[in-house]
Amino acid sequence: MRSHLPLNALRAFEASARHLSFTRAGLELSVTQAAVSQQVRTLEARLGTQLFKRLPRGLELTDEAHVLMPVLSEAFSQIEAVLKQFDGGHFHEVLTVAAVGTFAVGWLMPRLQSFNADHPFVELRLLTNNNLVNLAGEGLDFAIRFGNGMWHATHNVRLFDAPLSVLCTPSVAQRLEQPQDLAKETLMRSYRAEEWNNWFLAADIEPIRVNGPIFDSSRLMVEAAIQNGGVALAPAKMFEHELQNGILVSPFDISVEVGSYWLTWLKSKPLSPAMQQFQQWLVAQVNE
């Protein structure tokens, strides 16, 4: 059946329906107004119905045309979008990934060069969020999130745990001989209020009043601790660079598990080739 599709006639109809003019459709398609009109008449004969009302000052779509037009418009747009992905004889596929900002900066970005090198024809678009995402509404292929993995509308692949540790500058750490000394410091907080209390429990000390500002990102929280001399409770794995370079230290060998990082995507979305490549690369990086 596809070999008998009247593609020229369909193109002529779609252009005419957009412009409501055979003349302007002909200019777009680089053919004469008469040729467009003839193609439309051929399609009307094929379908056995009238698609346009020919008016003195233009065209008007019939009810049948209103049914056909959006289907054709979407189909031609999809074809155009795919053709645009070919550049220099290669297929380029766009991959949109949203990641928690702390993960994006502290773990993903230092490794992205290897993905780009291995997959030069995948155009990766990386967005950041504070763990609140709408995959469908934002048109995302993947979201990397922090939590317990209990998101029912998505496939959820656990990447790794990210236990929280006390992080501060070396100068602040000199004042911290034991966990109780934290009572004298400004303790930075995330929007998850229970985290410090869980750490106090793991440290086997009485809860300390947490009086610092609240942040929606561990990256911002730790940066505030670096600049202002406070103490943050954050996933040390996301700050390996700062720890290795002595910008940060973890004064206590005590951590608390509150969640993991997960790669998630909609159950209703089949994996594209680019999505498969990114998932395989990401899991390989985690397992190195």
Side-chain angles (χ1 to χ4, degrees):
M1 180 65 182
R2 290 184 180 180
S3 62
H4 300 293
L5 286 175
L7 294 178
N8 288 336
L10 291 171
R11 289 180 65 218
F13 163 74
E14 193 273 340
S16 300
R18 274 191 288 108
H19 294 294
L20 293 178
S21 166
F22 290 148
T23 300
R24 289 197 291 272
L27 291 172
E28 177 182 316
L29 300 175
S30 299
V31 297
T32 65
Q33 178 268 348
V36 172
S37 178
Q38 182 58 45
Q39 288 287 354
V40 171
R41 290 186 184 278
T42 298
L43 182 61
E44 290 177 324
R46 171 80 176 266
L47 298 178
T49 188
Q50 185 178 359
L51 296 174
F52 293 108
K53 297 177 182 177
R54 279 72 169 175
L55 304 176
R57 295 186 178 181
L59 302 173
E60 181 180 317
L61 273 65
T62 64
D63 291 342
E64 291 79 6
H66 278 294
V67 173
L68 182 58
M69 177 56 183
V71 177
L72 282 181
S73 181
E74 181 180 358
F76 283 132
S77 294
Q78 290 177 347
I79 293 171
E80 182 182 21
V82 171
L83 293 178
K84 284 181 177 179
Q85 290 179 270
F86 285 88
D87 183 21
H90 297 285
F91 179 73
H92 292 253
E93 188 174 357
V94 175
L95 178 70
T96 305
V97 179
V100 179
T102 299
F103 181 95
V105 176
W107 193 91
L108 185 58
M109 285 179 60
R111 295 167 169 82
L112 275 185
Q113 185 175 356
S114 72
F115 178 79
N116 294 331
D118 293 341
H119 306 90
F121 304 121
V122 176
E123 181 182 324
L124 178 63
R125 297 179 181 177
L126 180 60
L127 313 176
T128 60
N129 60 70
N130 63 352
N131 218 40
L132 297 175
V133 292
N134 182 341
L135 283 125
E138 298 176 49
L140 303 174
D141 295 307
F142 285 123
I144 298 173
R145 308 165 71 176
F146 183 81
N148 58 14
M150 299 299 290
W151 302 291
H152 300 297
T154 56
H155 294 292
N156 308 306
V157 175
R158 179 181 163 277
L159 299 176
F160 49 75
D161 295 331
L164 306 184
S165 302
V166 170
L167 301 177
C168 60
T169 62
S171 60
V172 172
Q174 292 178 356
R175 304 194 294 263
L176 302 175
E177 296 182 2
Q178 54 187 352
Q180 290 85 344
D181 294 335
L182 289 169
K184 303 174 184 177
E185 305 295 334
T186 299
L187 305 183
M188 308 292 187
R189 296 178 284 176
S190 82
Y191 59 90
R192 293 180 286 267
E194 74 282 359
E195 290 178 348
W196 270 112
N197 285 334
N198 290 342
W199 190 89
F200 297 144
L201 183 63
D204 196 25
I205 64 172
E206 291 295 320
I208 295 171
R209 180 174 178 270
V210 180
N211 58 354
I214 299 173
F215 297 87
D216 69 353
S217 162
S218 293
R219 175 61 52 176
L220 290 177
M221 185 199 312
V222 171
E223 187 62 31
I226 292 172
Q227 295 191 25
N228 301 312
V231 177
L233 187 63
K237 191 175 182 68
M238 298 297 102
F239 298 92
E240 291 177 346
H241 174 77
E242 290 85 352
L243 289 164
Q244 291 171 359
N245 287 287
I247 299 171
L248 288 173
V249 296
S250 182
F252 307 116
D253 188 20
I254 303 169
S255 61
V256 60
E257 298 278 0
V258 298
S260 306
Y261 285 104
W262 301 77
L263 178 68
T264 71
W265 68 99
L266 288 172
K267 290 180 178 179
S268 59
K269 186 179 183 68
L271 288 174
S272 68
M275 291 175 69
Q276 293 176 17
Q277 292 168 2
F278 183 80
Q279 181 187 17
Q280 293 167 2
W281 171 82
L282 188 64
V283 171
Q285 291 290 313
V286 168
N287 293 329
E288 278 190 354

